[in-house]
C-alpha cells in the first residue's frame, strides 16, 4: 500500500535520527482501502514507548473520502512477561485516556462483560476501543436479519445499546471499568 515518498527528512529507522529529539514522520502516498483513491497519505514514525518497546506509529488519511485510521506495529521484541492494568472510569475525561494496545493484548470491560481479543496494535483512547468494538459488532447486522438470525441480531442490538448507555452516563454515576 506504499508507493511514492513525499519529501520527509526522517528515514524512520536510522540510528542517526533515532537519538534526535526532532523526529519527523515519513510520509508515503498510499492507496485508500475505502475509496481506492491513490491520494491517501500514510505517516510513519519510529519511536520508543518507555517501559514498553520501540514501535512504528502509522497514521493514514484519505483527503478524498475522509477515511482515516491509526495503527501501531512492533519495531522490537516484546518483553517476556506481560502486564495487567486496571483502570476505573469515573468521568468523561477518563474515556479520553490514551491507550497503547499491542497486537497481542486483550482488553476486558468488566461492567460490560465484554472482552476484546488480540487484534492489530493501535494507539487510541478508551472510548476509541469501545467505539471500534461497537462498529465491529454491528457490521453484519443487516446480514444477520436477512439470514434469519433475529435472536443474534437482537442480542447484539441490546448489547450495543447497553454500551452506548454506559458511555453517555459516565461521570453521572459510578460506571464502567476496564481491565
Amino acid at each position: 500500500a506504499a508507493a511514492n515518498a513525499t519529501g520527509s527528512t526522517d528515514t524512520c529507522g536510522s540510528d542517526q535520527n533515532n537519538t534526535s529529539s526532532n523526529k519527523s514522520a515519513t510520509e508515503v502516498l498510499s492507496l485508500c482501502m475505502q475509496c481506492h483513491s491513490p491520494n491517501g497519505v500514510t505517516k510513519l514514525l519510529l519511536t520508543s514507548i518507555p517501559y514498553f518497546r520501540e514501535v512504528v506509529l502509522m497514521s493514514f488519511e484519505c483527503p478524498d473520502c475522509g477515511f482515516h485510521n491509526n495503527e501501531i506495529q512492533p519495531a522490537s521484541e516484546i518483553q517476556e512477561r506481560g502486564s495487567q492494568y486496571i483502570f476505573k472510569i469515573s468521568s468523561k475525561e477518563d474515556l479520553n485516556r490514551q491507550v497503547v494496545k499491542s497486537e497481542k493484548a486483550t482488553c476486558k470491560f468488566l461492567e460490560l462483560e465484554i472482552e476484546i481479543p488480540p487484534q492489530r496494535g493501535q494507539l487510541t483512547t478508551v472510548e476509541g476501543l469501545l467505539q471500534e468494538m461497537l462498529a465491529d459488532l454491528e457490521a453484519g447486522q443487516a446480514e444477520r436479519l436477512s439470514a434469519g438470525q433475529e435472536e443474534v441480531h437482537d442480542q447484539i442490538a441490546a448489547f450495543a445499546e447497553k454500551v452506548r448507555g454506559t458511555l453517555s452516563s459516565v461521570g453521572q454515576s459510578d460506571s464502567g471499568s476496564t481491565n
Side-chain angles (χ1 to χ4, degrees), residues 88-91 111 165-177:
K88 184 76 173 170
I89 300 171
S90 56
S91 69
E111 278 82 357
T166 299
L167 285 171
S168 66
S169 70
V170 167
Q172 298 171 7
S173 66
D174 190 39
S175 64
S177 175

Side-chain angles (χ1 to χ4, degrees), residues 12-31:
C12 202
S14 161
D15 290 335
Q16 177 183 20
N17 289 327
N18 228 5
T19 58
S20 169
S21 61
N22 332 344
K23 289 188 207 176
S24 65
T26 299
E27 292 187 4
V28 179
L29 287 177
S30 306
L31 178 69

Side-chain angles (χ1 to χ4, degrees), residues 114-134:
I114 186 83
E115 180 175 305
I116 300 173
Q119 300 170 319
R120 65 185 172 85
Q122 60 188 131
L123 175 63
T124 186
T125 61
V126 173
E127 184 174 13
L129 286 171
L130 289 168
Q131 293 291 355
E132 183 176 9
M133 180 262 312
L134 280 175

